[in-house]
Amino acid sequence: MTALADGTPRQAGTPDDTRAKLVVVGNGMSGARALEEILARGGGETFAITVFGDEPYGNYNRILLSEVLADAAAGNGASNETTPDEAASEALAESGDAPDGDGFDDEDEIFLNPRSWYSENDITLHVGVRIVRIDRHSKVVYGDDGSVTPYDTLILATGSRSFFPPMDGMWASNTELTPGVFGFRSLEDATSMLRHVKGRKTAVVIGGGLLGLEAAAGLQTHGLAVHVVHPTEVLMNQQLEAEASKVLRSKLEDMGMHMHLGVKTNEILTEDGAVSGVRFTDGSTLECDTVVVTAGIRPNIGLAMLSGLETQRAIVVDDTMRSVDDDDIFVVGECAQHRGEVYGVVGPLWEQAGVLADVVTGANPDAEYHGSRLATKLKVAGVDVAQMGVKIPERDSDEFVQFSETGRGVYQTVVIRDGTLIGATLVGDISKAASLTQAFDSRSALPEERVKLLFDLGSGDDASSAADLPDDTQVCNCNGVSKGDLVGCVHDGAESVSACMAATRAGKGCGSCKGLVKEIVEAALGGVGGEDPADSYYVPGIPMDKPALMAAIREQELTSVSAVFAALAPEGREHVGSKMGLTALLRMMWPDGWVDERDGRYINDRVHGNIQRDGTFSVVPRMSGGVTDAAQLRRIADVAEKHDIPLIKLTGGQRIDLLGVPKEKLQEVWADLDMPSGWAYGKSFRTVKTCVGTDFCRFGLGDSTKLGVDIEERFKGIEGPAKMKLAVSGCPRNCAESMVKDVGLVAVEGDQWQIYVGGAAGATIRKGDVLATVDSHDEAMTITGRFLQYYRENANWLERTYDFVPRMGLDYLIGVIVDDTEGIAADLDRRMQESVDRYSDPWSTDQQEKTPGQFHDALPLIPLPQVPIRAESLDREESLR
């Protein structure tokens, strides 16, 4: 707030305010960025600033709209038992700051500048007001609320809108879309979809660009079967070439999306005034109850056209970002056309805002914008993508390096011309994006072995680090943050990664740069940065580490998730992403007395089955130690035939998986099986894999089968912070892969068992550490249970043992669990026994619905592939009989 000579505050627009009048039309990302740049150059002293935005919020990050759509279904909490309004309130807490109870909290991460920011910076903000006319002669703007506001300098940042192609059935009237049809460009679009998705089954997304794929991913989290329809064979064809698109398509199809490429939609079908399907140009149809149109965007140029400014595709500007028709009108963002180009990604818009601010404030009157070299880093439906420059070689002399690993979903290319990087595409693995962007922007010299642009080939000299990057390297494309900005933040006193992210907004967009942000900040801090308190929180919604949280829960006798939030969360605010972790913690702490609030469980945990890509579930009965008998196998076969189970598969944990069971059939399948749950779906004790041990193996040193069966029977279904997989091997040949399990036991000479902890053989590969060598079956059972209980009580939510063991330190764990250096071994054993004693099988105890819809309203099914039966295999089997 500026002040008069006597120190009293000066109100913008009052007679004593002699500052020039700056009016900004548009409160989107570009307009707000221009404001920030102007304020950074002292513009608050020069101008009385007024901002008009036709949405009823502060400035927000459109890049996060997909997270708004997805977060309301976090943990599948909105699947069938949660209302859309409840889901929306879980994703974005209610706030009185926005009008009409819109359900958004201006402090949420989606908001870049809450309303308080405007008042703190002496900016007059008019929300929900659309400017309908500019009188350039009188230099005033007219609002649709009847307001008339004078200006000396005017900035147009009107952005763009969703493009709705001409199509029968799209519109219910001249101004309203058919019920069930949505754009995806604003918070209102996202919240309208949230209100609509309850009970819906199938969505069609028209347009396979970035926005379309993000919308598709968000809708998937609500349990809808999602079909993406795109007119070309190349997804994200603005950013990717054909081969990169194929890899992305494969990744997305693996996630359950259905792709219809090279297909055009020409009609939206309706029934009783609402969407019922779509028709394609070839005459075929697809039934659906939701249509999202992401067929591109169009700059909002209507106001400029009405005001006599030159427009082509957008509002034409010169190199100072001025309108070519009026020296007092500047334009920034997606509504600006510069040298024939209209930019729709963040980087160029930020550069435009900087030049505009230099010129408007006089900080650098000669500043000019000469266009941008596009380098984009995105996260598309969870898949990392980076692209810069050209996508494919354009001349015979261009060098082209290509790497494809489709099984891992990785595709990488670079295009080089005359020794200079002119293009790169990265899908799935973008670890080299920063160094490639630097080479692309600076046109720097490249290694003679071009493959080094994509891979470190073993020499220590080959590996690049964050510390080596120049300060002008763009790190966060979403918010225009450079390495120098982050380093400067550290020099200004920031002591943690989160502090730098909060100050600069780096990592607050798509999130793909968070790893590099962390590297840069830690390097700037000398590798010994101050500890970020949030890193130790058990769940993000409660600012406590796990020991403090457990102590508070015990002291206040909090037995429900809602009670924990009310007592311990800031302002008592619930956080949807924390509910599942708190549920697991309360079940562990209060085996008898915890209050079961169903929205605090994952969908898997609510129905005791693992949800599949088509909305069906898998049923895995327990076979302790991987041991079964003829009666069980016969029963499984009978159930599979009776219920037409489409796929029967052996699992890596030595179990039989019945896949494709509709939710409404789960209870019937459990009853017919008459076998206990195998817990193949929960954050819990899963299985114990065994080898045949001494009974049949010539090399067996210990009875691994019996020990494995006994461990599984004792600890079955025990709740944990993450899943726990175990194995027992009868000798060091390790046939049960015990050395790469959360807990693995291996028989060794002398009738002893070695107990390994912290192993992994999935996305992370780690050989376990030897916790102890014990002399008996009973001692192996005790140490195993004690380690599991200590892990349950001290690991963070979703922290697997392969992270927990290194974090705690092997020597420390040996001291606590084996040597009892802290005197808590007996207590750990007792608390584990309490959990064991209170075990009940969910398949037998949940034969009645706990809540309406628990075992009903399953999602629509899509045909699953049947296991192929090869004729030659049958012939071979017949010949062996």
Side-chain angles (χ1 to χ4, degrees):
M1 179 74 71
T2 57
L4 300 176
D6 62 2
T8 58
R10 173 175 55 192
Q11 299 297 321
T14 58
D16 53 27
D17 189 350
T18 59
R19 293 174 295 170
K21 299 175 182 64
L22 173 66
V23 173
V24 181
V25 178
N27 192 32
M29 294 176 67
S30 297
R33 181 69 175 205
L35 278 176
E36 292 174 351
E37 297 284 357
I38 288 169
L39 292 174
R41 291 159 174 78
E45 295 295 324
T46 307
F47 296 105
I49 303 173
T50 302
V51 179
F52 291 89
D54 59 11
E55 293 187 81
Y57 322 105
N59 169 246
Y60 63 87
N61 188 348
R62 295 186 191 275
I63 297 169
L64 295 184
L65 285 178
S66 58
E67 294 192 18
V68 173
L69 187 60
D71 283 351
N76 295 292
S79 177
N80 284 307
E81 300 178 62
T82 308
T83 69
D85 289 340
E86 291 169 339
S89 65
E90 287 177 350
L92 293 167
E94 293 182 0
S95 169
D97 187 43
D100 303 321
D102 60 27
F104 293 101
D105 177 358
D106 267 6
E107 298 306 318
D108 192 274
E109 282 194 358
I110 191 171
F111 286 95
L112 298 172
N113 296 310
R115 292 190 190 182
S116 57
W117 178 84
Y118 294 85
S119 58
E120 290 166 2
N121 286 282
D122 192 20
I123 297 171
T124 301
L125 173 64
H126 298 278
V127 297
V129 178
R130 182 186 298 270
I131 296 300
V132 294
R133 186 163 70 91
I134 304 169
D135 185 334
R136 292 166 51 199
H137 178 73
S138 300
K139 300 182 74 170
V140 296
V141 295
Y142 294 86
D144 63 0
D145 62 346
S147 61
V148 180
T149 306
Y151 69 84
D152 295 302
T153 300
L154 178 65
I155 298 175
L156 298 181
T158 50
S160 59
R161 65 188 186 281
S162 294
F163 170 64
F164 294 94
M167 191 179 299
D168 290 342
M170 178 84 75
W171 297 91
S173 68
N174 288 336
T175 57
E176 293 185 355
L177 293 165
T178 297
V181 178
F182 303 91
F184 190 50
R185 188 67 183 160
S186 67
L187 267 177
E188 176 58 29
D189 292 333
T191 54
S192 296
M193 275 191 266
L194 285 178
R195 290 189 290 269
H196 172 80
V197 293
K198 170 63 176 175
R200 310 298 173 179
K201 296 181 177 181
T202 306
V204 169
V205 178
I206 299 176
L210 172 63
L211 275 180
L213 298 180
E214 288 289 273
L219 290 169
Q220 267 195 316
T221 65
H222 293 271
L224 280 75
V226 179
H227 298 257
V228 177
V229 180
H230 193 57
T232 75
E233 295 288 345
V234 180
L235 287 172
M236 289 184 62
N237 50 290
Q238 293 295 316
Q239 291 86 17
L240 302 181
E241 42 87 10
E243 292 302 315
S245 171
K246 287 179 183 177
V247 174
L248 178 62
R249 174 181 181 173
S250 178
K251 292 275 285 187
L252 298 177
E253 287 179 334
D254 287 345
M255 297 176 187
M257 289 188 197
H258 309 280
M259 298 293 167
H260 305 262
L261 304 186
V263 174
K264 294 183 179 180
T265 309
N266 65 355
E267 183 180 1
I268 295 176
L269 306 177
T270 61
E271 184 175 326
D272 297 327
V275 169
S276 63
V278 296
R279 189 187 310 280
F280 303 125
T281 52
D282 64 1
S284 61
T285 61
L286 175 62
E287 291 185 2
C288 65
D289 45 37
T290 305
V291 173
V292 180
V293 181
T294 56
I297 59 175
R298 295 294 184 270
N300 288 318
I301 60 175
L303 177 63
M305 293 175 66
L306 185 65
S307 304
L309 300 178
E310 182 174 344
T311 61
Q312 295 173 6
R313 287 190 298 149
I315 307 169
V316 180
V317 298
D318 61 20
D319 288 351
T320 64
M321 301 308 298
R322 278 189 175 95
S323 163
V324 294
D325 296 305
D326 194 319
D327 287 348
D328 295 320
I329 297 179
F330 292 77
V331 188
V332 67
E334 293 171 324
C335 62
Q337 178 177 324
H338 174 265
R339 298 188 183 183
E341 293 291 335
V342 179
Y343 297 97
V345 293
V346 170
L349 310 188
W350 275 202
E351 294 174 15
Q352 292 176 2
V355 170
L356 182 152
D358 278 341
V359 175
V360 165
T361 62
N364 180 9
D366 298 325
E368 291 186 345
Y369 175 67
H370 295 149
S372 299
R373 286 165 60 82
L374 294 181
T376 305
K377 191 162 54 176
L378 310 160
K379 189 177 285 287
V380 184
V383 181
D384 287 322
V385 175
Q387 200 281 325
M388 61 202 75
V390 302
K391 295 180 281 189
I392 57 175
E394 298 174 337
R395 301 176 183 173
D396 291 341
S397 59
D398 288 346
E399 300 176 58
F400 187 54
V401 180
Q402 181 183 51
F403 172 78
S404 179
E405 189 178 350
T406 54
R408 199 161 61 93
V410 173
Y411 179 83
Q412 300 171 317
T413 66
V414 294
V415 184
I416 300 164
R417 180 177 299 162
D418 300 327
T420 300
L421 182 69
I422 63 167
T425 301
L426 308 174
V427 176
D429 178 358
I430 63 169
S431 57
K432 291 295 184 180
S435 57
L436 287 171
T437 301
Q438 174 60 25
F440 175 73
D441 286 340
S442 65
R443 297 176 172 84
S444 56
L446 305 178
E448 290 186 10
E449 294 179 73
R450 306 305 197 198
V451 72
K452 288 184 178 181
L453 289 167
L454 298 176
F455 303 103
D456 299 324
L457 300 182
S459 166
D461 294 336
D462 291 338
S464 60
S465 71
D468 299 327
L469 297 173
D471 281 350
D472 61 356
T473 300
Q474 184 101 324
V475 176
C476 177
N477 289 332
C478 296
N479 288 306
V481 182
S482 68
K483 177 193 171 183
D485 295 330
L486 292 168
V487 173
C489 189
V490 171
H491 292 165
D492 289 340
E495 296 181 347
S496 67
V497 175
S498 63
C500 289
M501 290 174 65
T504 64
R505 298 196 187 118
K508 298 288 189 177
C510 71
S512 64
C513 64
K514 285 182 177 178
L516 182 57
V517 171
K518 184 173 185 290
E519 286 184 48
I520 290 171
V521 173
E522 289 181 346
L525 290 166
V528 290
E531 183 177 349
D532 186 351
D535 291 342
S536 65
Y537 297 166
Y538 173 65
V539 290
I542 307 290
M544 292 180 169
D545 62 18
K546 191 171 186 179
L549 176 59
M550 291 176 64
I553 288 172
R554 287 198 177 98
E555 180 182 351
Q556 301 183 44
E557 298 184 353
L558 307 173
T559 58
S560 70
V561 171
S562 58
V564 173
F565 282 130
L568 304 177
E571 302 178 1
R573 181 179 299 164
E574 294 194 357
H575 181 267
V576 65
S578 301
K579 287 186 175 183
M580 291 72 186
L582 290 174
T583 297
L585 184 64
L586 294 174
R587 290 168 75 172
M588 186 266 292
M589 293 179 63
W590 310 108
D592 274 339
W594 73 288
V595 177
D596 186 3
E597 295 175 327
R598 305 296 284 191
D599 68 342
R601 296 188 183 206
Y602 284 115
I603 180 62
N604 289 358
D605 199 31
R606 293 204 302 269
V607 301
H608 317 301
N610 199 355
I611 193 169
Q612 305 299 304
R613 56 178 276 188
D614 63 347
T616 64
F617 293 82
S618 69
V619 171
V620 182
R622 186 166 74 247
M623 296 175 177
S624 295
V627 177
T628 187
D629 57 32
Q632 284 186 343
L633 293 174
R634 192 173 292 111
R635 198 177 309 136
I636 290 171
D638 291 342
V639 169
E641 286 189 344
K642 175 180 177 180
H643 296 283
D644 295 322
I645 305 296
L647 182 62
I648 306 169
K649 195 174 187 307
L650 298 180
T651 74
Q654 300 177 336
R655 305 295 183 268
I656 293 177
D657 194 353
L658 305 179
L659 289 146
V661 181
K663 187 165 73 167
E664 60 268 23
K665 275 195 171 187
L666 285 171
Q667 292 166 301
E668 189 179 348
V669 169
W670 299 340
D672 289 344
L673 279 172
D674 193 25
M675 294 173 67
S677 169
W679 289 89
Y681 53 83
K683 307 303 179 187
S684 61
F685 185 101
R686 292 283 186 93
T687 61
V688 182
K689 186 174 183 178
T690 68
C691 65
V692 297
T694 53
D695 283 349
F696 293 95
C697 180
R698 292 178 294 123
F699 304 100
L701 300 174
D703 192 347
S704 54
T705 302
K706 175 173 173 48
L707 180 55
V709 170
D710 289 348
I711 289 175
E712 186 162 350
E713 285 296 321
R714 176 166 173 75
F715 302 117
K716 55 185 178 287
I718 291 295
E719 190 82 23
K723 58 189 175 184
M724 297 168 278
K725 297 183 178 181
L726 286 75
V728 184
S729 297
C731 76
R733 290 172 178 260
N734 192 32
C735 293
E737 301 161 351
S738 301
M739 296 177 187
V740 288
K741 298 295 183 184
D742 293 292
V743 180
L745 296 92
V746 178
V748 294
E749 295 286 352
D751 296 325
Q752 292 182 314
W753 294 96
Q754 284 185 335
I755 303 176
Y756 290 80
V757 295
T764 297
I765 300 175
R766 183 181 190 272
K767 181 181 177 181
D769 299 314
V770 178
L771 179 70
T773 301
V774 299
D775 296 325
S776 67
H777 173 288
D778 290 344
E779 193 176 358
M781 294 276 291
T782 299
I783 296 296
T784 296
R786 191 178 299 163
F787 170 79
L788 291 176
Q789 184 65 23
Y790 189 80
Y791 167 65
R792 295 173 73 206
E793 294 183 6
N794 292 277
N796 293 322
W797 175 237
L798 300 181
E799 181 181 29
R800 291 292 297 273
T801 61
Y802 54 74
D803 289 322
F804 173 74
V805 170
R807 177 170 69 84
M808 300 302 295
L810 181 63
D811 291 341
Y812 174 78
L813 291 173
I814 291 172
V816 172
I817 294 166
V818 182
D819 301 331
D820 195 19
T821 54
E822 296 187 3
I824 62 172
D827 290 333
L828 292 171
D829 295 344
R830 174 181 55 79
R831 290 194 289 271
M832 174 58 82
Q833 187 62 49
E834 289 174 355
S835 294
V836 169
D837 291 342
R838 288 165 177 79
Y839 174 79
S840 61
D841 179 61
W843 286 1
S844 61
T845 59
D846 231 6
Q847 283 295 325
Q848 298 296 321
E849 285 193 329
K850 294 290 195 302
T851 56
Q854 182 184 2
F855 293 108
H856 290 87
D857 298 326
L859 304 175
L861 309 186
I862 63 171
L864 282 175
Q866 301 293 310
V867 177
I869 300 174
R870 302 184 185 279
E872 60 268 25
S873 298
L874 295 177
D875 292 342
R876 259 197 316 272
E877 290 180 12
E878 191 64 34
S879 68
L880 293 173
R881 292 177 181 170

